[in-house]
Amino acid sequence: MSHPVRTSPRTAVAGSAPRLEIDLSAIAANTRLLARRSTGDLMAVVKADGFGHGAVAVARTALAAGASSLGVTSIAEAQALRAAGLHAPVLSWLNAVDADWAGAVGQDVDVAIPSRDHLDALTRATIGARVHLSLDTGMGRDGCSPVEWADLCRAARMAERQGRLTVVGMMGHLPCADVPEDPSNSRGRNRFSWGLMTARAAGLRPTVRHLAATSATLLDPLAHHTTTRVGAGLVGIDPSRTTALRPALTLTAPLVEVRSIHGGTSIGYGHTWTAPGPTRLGLVPLGYADGLPRSASGRAEMQVRGERVPVVGRISMDMAVVDLGASGAEVGEIVTVFGPGDAGEPTVREWADAADVLEHEIVTGLGARVARGFRPARPPAAALRSVR
Ligand SMILES: *Cc1c(COP(=O)(O)O)cnc(C)c1O
């Protein structure tokens, strides 16, 4: 290398293209923490390509670190996990009435059923399904309304007695679990308990009962039941902002151009930024098509040579500009867009705050043209100590 690069070794990798590194040891560590906090089993939620981290890799890592089942939205996502050779129980909870129910049963995929329409379509399409009945515990957007719950339970029990399906589980979801004092939490828990009594009264025996996602797993043991259903926490996002979870993504890119400009030079679409004095600008080949939120223009930062540099002007579809200032960074050097923060680089949370979006939106929105690479999970520290 002709330039002495003072970034951390992690970001100093030579590379001529943007690269997203996924640290599976972070996902393993987060899984172990969340499994310890769960009174029951842990279901690893790997929807939306494992929150943008790679569904198969996150699933494998989480199963090896203490999760015992997997959760996704669509049947197609569940089938992709099966195709990758994962055999753990998988639940798919968001499907159209005319979904491929037979395909789910054929691949041993459990399905959540939120309505009579879904139940009737399922029993017409196939036999042998493993069903989790889904109750609206306050979200108000999905799950069976309490008004229709007893009817759904009776119909499911009838289908069960006819040998058409088995109700193995029951699920709910809490809307405000990141705010522990919100009264909707106890209301949701109570409604879930009522729903379970109602199901039992109808003759059902749902053995896998799950209400808590990441926030309630961390904050509300009363919501744990037999299984917690955790997604964001696995990848280091804590919506409750109470717990030190480890971010798993590092996004880097080379400076593809560096230029010196005079004070008064305006740059980018709309000329939203004008240099107050002479400076050097670096061009980063990542834009909103790659998932950098345009709303973070003029607010976010990146890191080069160990120093923070501001993003100036508009983030456009394919590129962003940083003001290198006094940094001597040269063309070809690697810029860190975000990482876990260990070396002072910006984090996904900082980008989310700069853009006024959720961290979830950043990690699930990274574009397909960014090359992905995985850092393998290491065994837990205790295991390492025992072999020394
Ligand atoms: C996404 C999702 C989860 C996971 O929630 P996190 O807060 O990311 O842990 C759990 N349950 C349902 C129904 C979901 O849609």
Side-chain angles (χ1 to χ4, degrees), residues 249-314:
L249 296 183
T250 299
L251 179 61
T252 56
L255 289 173
V256 294
E257 293 182 33
V258 171
R259 67 185 58 205
S260 297
I261 58 163
H262 299 296
T265 306
S266 299
I267 61 146
Y269 286 119
H271 273 182
T272 58
W273 184 78
T274 300
T279 189
R280 293 167 75 245
L281 301 181
L283 183 66
V284 178
L286 287 167
Y288 58 77
D290 306 296
L292 296 193
R294 186 170 172 279
S295 56
S297 299
R299 298 203 248 169
E301 294 178 332
M302 299 189 191
Q303 186 196 44
V304 62
R305 292 198 176 188
E307 307 277 349
R308 294 287 188 106
V309 288
V311 174
V312 293
R314 285 252 169 87

Side-chain angles (χ1 to χ4, degrees), residues 18-22 52 249-252 338 366 370-374:
R19 179 180 152 88
L20 182 68
E21 186 183 83
I22 299 124
L249 296 183
T250 299
L251 179 61
T252 56
F338 53 70
L366 298 169
V370 179
R372 267 73 169 167
F374 292 98

Side-chain angles (χ1 to χ4, degrees), residues 94-302:
L94 186 63
N95 288 290
V97 170
D98 64 350
D100 182 13
W101 305 113
V105 172
Q107 300 276 296
D108 217 6
V109 171
D110 294 10
V111 291
I113 290 295
S115 76
R116 272 300 294 273
D117 286 344
H118 287 78
L119 183 75
D120 294 346
L122 171 71
T123 52
R124 275 196 304 275
T126 186
I127 58 167
R130 289 166 46 92
V131 167
H132 300 230
L133 294 182
S134 173
L135 174 65
D136 179 4
T137 51
M139 195 61 95
R141 57 168 196 188
D142 62 334
C144 181
S145 126
V147 178
E148 290 156 14
W149 180 250
D151 175 59
L152 179 64
C153 289
R154 280 192 299 270
R157 176 60 188 147
M158 177 93 77
E160 198 174 60
R161 291 171 66 123
Q162 292 166 351
R164 306 196 63 80
L165 54 77
T166 310
V167 174
V168 298
M170 172 179 162
M171 70 185 285
H173 198 35
L174 298 169
C176 307
D178 55 334
V179 183
E181 63 277 11
D182 194 288
S184 71
N185 291 310
S186 59
R187 274 205 303 274
R189 289 197 312 263
N190 291 342
R191 192 184 282 180
F192 192 81
S193 300
W194 165 85
L196 179 59
M197 280 181 352
T198 305
R200 285 182 172 148
L204 297 171
R205 295 293 176 264
T207 54
V208 190
R209 300 184 290 275
H210 40 109
L211 176 62
T214 297
S215 288
T217 299
L218 293 171
L219 297 177
D220 188 1
L222 293 173
H224 288 196
H225 294 275
T226 71
T227 305
T228 53
R229 211 174 50 231
V230 172
L234 300 180
V235 300
I237 297 173
D238 171 17
S240 77
R241 300 212 169 187
T242 60
T243 308
L245 298 172
R246 182 143 180 89
L249 296 183
T250 299
L251 179 61
T252 56
L255 289 173
V256 294
E257 293 182 33
V258 171
R259 67 185 58 205
S260 297
I261 58 163
H262 299 296
T265 306
S266 299
I267 61 146
Y269 286 119
H271 273 182
T272 58
W273 184 78
T274 300
T279 189
R280 293 167 75 245
L281 301 181
L283 183 66
V284 178
L286 287 167
Y288 58 77
D290 306 296
L292 296 193
R294 186 170 172 279
S295 56
S297 299
R299 298 203 248 169
E301 294 178 332
M302 299 189 191

